[in-house]
Amino acid sequence: MPFTKITEQPSLYNDLEKKSVLEILTDINNEDKKVALAVEKAIPQIEKLVSEIIPRMKQGGRIFYMGAGTSGRLGVLDASEIPPTFGMPPTWVIGLIAGGDTALRNPVEKAEDNTERGWEELKAHNITPKDTVIGIAASGTTPYVIGAMKAARQNDILTGCITSNPDSPMAAEADIPIEMIVGPEYVTGSSRMKSGTGQKMILNMISTSVMIKLGRVKGNKMVNMQLTNQKLIDRGTRMIMEELNLDYEEAKTLLLINGSVKKAIQAYGQ
């Protein structure tokens, strides 16, 4: 069956410039409603991937997100949120984007067309079979990502991917492909819209479920979050108050001495 890019199909809407602002916003919202349903259908594949990642990370493995453009930026975003949210070192979940950090704000010409660069970057991080490579590309055709995934599989490294097209070349290089079919974009080909929203949702699901299973959450609370501002210090203080039945100042002092909610609770019990 020939590969068809649903992400490049014409929008279901036309004459967008003639619509009122309300019509545009309503139409976009109606399209966005389809995203969660598409992600829901992909949960069995997301579960498979997460279940393979957890034992690898317990042995010291890492997650590498790889993408170009919007997809790459979303991978870097999710990776960058792991240390402050879960108190993990920034080396545990790593986002790589075609073109490097410059590409986070500016397009880097032809960076995504290099089939060898991605694997070179992974080797620079001393990638091993304990690690996992997750390619992110709405089209499923990004050479930078596909080349890296192909080399990773050849080196016995687990590969997954997130794409918005079925049976893509990228999915062919994934041990566990996640295909989230959201349909044509509101603005034809603008995969920063529904595809990007779905990618963000799936990345949240992967990283959050992995961190929970690695013990970085207690009950429903971020007990390992970094105390980088007063809001988070106050949140952590109230977690300790609730857990240990202390007053505010006692809880805050305990938190600041120990540096995290989890360590504070452990220290109190000793």
Side-chain angles (χ1 to χ4, degrees):
M1 188 174 72
F3 173 60
T4 301
K5 291 186 183 180
I6 296 174
T7 52
E8 297 293 331
Q9 295 299 300
S11 170
L12 302 179
Y13 305 80
N14 208 344
D15 297 324
L16 305 187
E17 71 278 13
K18 297 178 181 178
K19 292 177 177 288
S20 68
V21 171
L22 178 59
E23 287 175 318
I24 292 170
L25 298 178
T26 301
D27 290 344
I28 291 174
N29 181 244
N30 284 333
E31 286 302 298
D32 284 345
K33 291 174 183 177
K34 300 175 182 179
V35 178
L37 296 175
V39 172
E40 181 182 18
K41 292 179 181 177
I43 286 177
Q45 293 306 108
I46 302 171
E47 179 191 16
K48 285 182 183 178
L49 183 56
V50 169
S51 297
E52 290 288 340
I53 291 172
I54 292 167
R56 286 169 169 79
M57 293 196 79
K58 286 182 176 179
Q59 296 174 29
R62 301 161 292 174
I63 297 174
F64 289 89
Y65 296 137
M66 304 200 70
T70 297
S71 299
R73 294 181 191 104
L74 288 169
V76 172
L77 173 62
D78 194 74
S80 69
E81 290 176 339
I82 301 306
T85 305
F86 300 107
M88 298 291 274
T91 52
W92 279 61
V93 182
I94 298 169
L96 298 177
I97 181 171
D101 286 355
T102 299
L104 292 173
R105 294 182 181 272
N106 301 284
V108 178
E109 187 176 358
K110 297 183 179 179
E112 69 176 69
D113 297 329
N114 189 326
T115 59
E116 298 178 1
R117 182 60 182 160
W119 178 241
E120 291 170 359
E121 292 175 1
L122 290 172
K123 287 195 294 183
H125 285 276
N126 299 311
I127 192 165
T128 77
K130 293 181 182 178
D131 298 322
T132 303
V133 175
I134 301 176
I136 313 168
S139 67
T141 60
T142 306
Y144 167 83
V145 177
I146 294 171
M149 291 174 60
K150 184 174 183 178
R153 288 186 85 185
Q154 291 170 347
N155 286 272
D156 299 318
I157 296 162
L158 176 68
T159 58
C161 75
I162 305 170
T163 180
S164 298
N165 287 314
D167 305 314
S168 68
M170 185 176 72
E173 298 298 342
D175 295 308
I176 305 174
I178 298 170
E179 296 175 327
M180 165 204 59
I181 313 304
V182 293
E185 297 288 359
Y186 181 66
V187 176
T188 299
S190 182
S191 55
R192 57 177 282 273
M193 301 187 77
K194 287 189 296 181
S195 289
T197 299
Q199 288 170 354
K200 179 69 167 66
M201 292 171 70
I202 292 172
L203 290 168
N204 275 346
M205 294 167 76
I206 292 171
S207 58
T208 302
S209 58
V210 167
M211 290 298 131
I212 290 171
K213 287 300 184 180
L214 291 179
R216 308 307 292 181
V217 171
K218 186 177 189 300
N220 57 17
K221 296 180 174 63
M222 298 184 292
V223 293
N224 289 284
M225 65 186 177
Q226 293 179 356
L227 306 175
T228 53
N229 56 50
Q230 289 301 315
K231 177 191 74 174
L232 296 179
I233 292 171
D234 179 70
R235 182 187 297 168
T237 298
R238 296 183 186 283
M239 289 183 192
I240 294 170
M241 291 173 64
E242 180 181 327
E243 184 74 19
L244 300 178
N245 197 29
L246 300 177
D247 65 34
Y248 188 91
E249 290 305 321
E250 286 180 303
K252 183 176 180 179
T253 299
L254 188 64
L255 174 64
L256 295 177
I257 289 173
N258 290 279
S260 77
V261 175
K262 186 173 184 178
K263 291 178 181 178
I265 292 171
Q266 291 173 339
Y268 187 81
Q270 292 177 351

